[in-house]
Amino acid sequence: MICFLLFFALPIVNSENLHEKQPNIIYILSDDLGHADLGFTGGRIETPNLDRLAKEGVLLKQHYVQPICSPTRSALMSGRYPIHTGFQHSVIHPGEPWGLHLDETIIPQILKEYNYSTHAVGKWHLGMHKWSYTPAQRGFDDFFGYYLGSQDYNTHIRGGGYDLRSDYWNKHGHFVDDVRYDLKGSTAQSFTLSAWWI
């Protein structure tokens, strides 16, 4: 199971409602996950934390997804069918010079207009051939994970290159792409720790 977690959270404070704040929003997109693979859907695998999130949050139970990851991600991020985002046929393979069109407004860009902080952990797989297509350039404050799909989760190598990254905007407002050669072994713990600190 490959998860792509999107976190959006920041209290809104203005002169009209000093004590109100907007809700935290967490999207969890899991590739290759069957309907009955979670506890709250009747599965045999115990998933108490996901069960609690499902019980206390909004659960999308009739959302149409595609049979492969990039089209599903493009639809989730843009709110448009993949045929309208250019992802109706395939995924992005290493070295391919394309991605989710830059004229597509995506979730983190919209939420930034409402003063949310935005964070992503997991697999991006929506473009990387130019910096303008990467998560931190598309509205996320930071991103930890892979730009491509079909990763080796122990070596972090895909298409002959190392692809585990920590992207963010530093305190001077400069974009930083930190390729994480220092993280060896399974990414599960790294993803969990990254999500924990958000």
Side-chain angles (χ1 to χ4, degrees):
M1 172 175 72
I2 305 305
C3 290
F4 184 53
L5 305 175
L6 311 175
F7 298 89
F8 310 103
L10 183 69
I12 298 297
V13 179
N14 60 37
S15 59
E16 295 176 13
N17 58 0
L18 290 175
H19 300 292
E20 293 182 32
K21 65 179 183 177
Q22 290 180 274
N24 294 330
I25 302 169
I26 301 174
Y27 282 97
I28 301 174
L29 172 64
S30 299
D31 291 342
D32 305 321
L33 183 66
H35 173 73
D37 289 344
L38 301 168
F40 67 89
T41 60
R44 295 188 316 214
I45 300 171
E46 293 183 16
T47 55
N49 293 324
L50 292 175
D51 297 352
R52 185 176 49 80
L53 285 172
K55 182 179 178 184
E56 295 173 6
V58 175
L59 187 59
L60 302 176
K61 295 193 281 188
Q62 295 189 15
H63 181 73
Y64 292 100
V65 297
Q66 306 303 309
I68 49 180
C69 56
S70 292
T72 295
R73 283 171 165 66
S74 76
L76 173 69
M77 290 296 214
S78 69
R80 302 181 69 205
Y81 287 112
I83 194 153
H84 299 296
T85 64
F87 280 90
Q88 69 272 23
H89 296 296
S90 188
V91 299
I92 300 172
H93 298 283
E96 291 186 338
W98 67 287
L100 183 61
H101 301 291
L102 297 178
D103 61 352
E104 292 286 352
T105 303
I106 61 174
I107 292 172
Q109 294 166 326
I110 294 168
L111 290 176
K112 290 305 254 180
E113 295 175 12
Y114 294 92
N115 297 325
Y116 274 89
S117 63
T118 57
H119 313 276
V121 177
K123 178 174 66 170
W124 174 244
H125 215 186
L126 289 174
M128 63 171 282
H129 68 289
K130 295 180 182 176
W131 289 123
S132 56
Y133 285 81
T134 61
Q137 301 283 341
R138 298 296 302 264
F140 285 104
D141 295 322
D142 52 64
F143 168 76
F144 177 75
Y146 301 116
Y147 282 168
L148 289 167
S150 301
Q151 295 292 335
D152 181 307
Y153 300 109
N154 290 303
T155 66
H156 317 300
I157 293 175
R158 171 73 165 114
Y162 195 84
D163 187 32
L164 181 59
R165 301 162 180 282
S166 181
D167 292 350
Y168 57 93
W169 295 93
N170 70 16
K171 64 182 179 180
H172 304 293
H174 300 286
F175 172 67
V176 177
D177 174 47
D178 185 10
V179 180
R180 298 302 303 268
Y181 295 107
D182 60 317
L183 297 176
K184 304 296 182 197
S186 174
T187 53
Q189 183 177 9
S190 297
F191 282 167
T192 302
L193 291 173
S194 181
W196 173 261
W197 289 110
I198 291 177

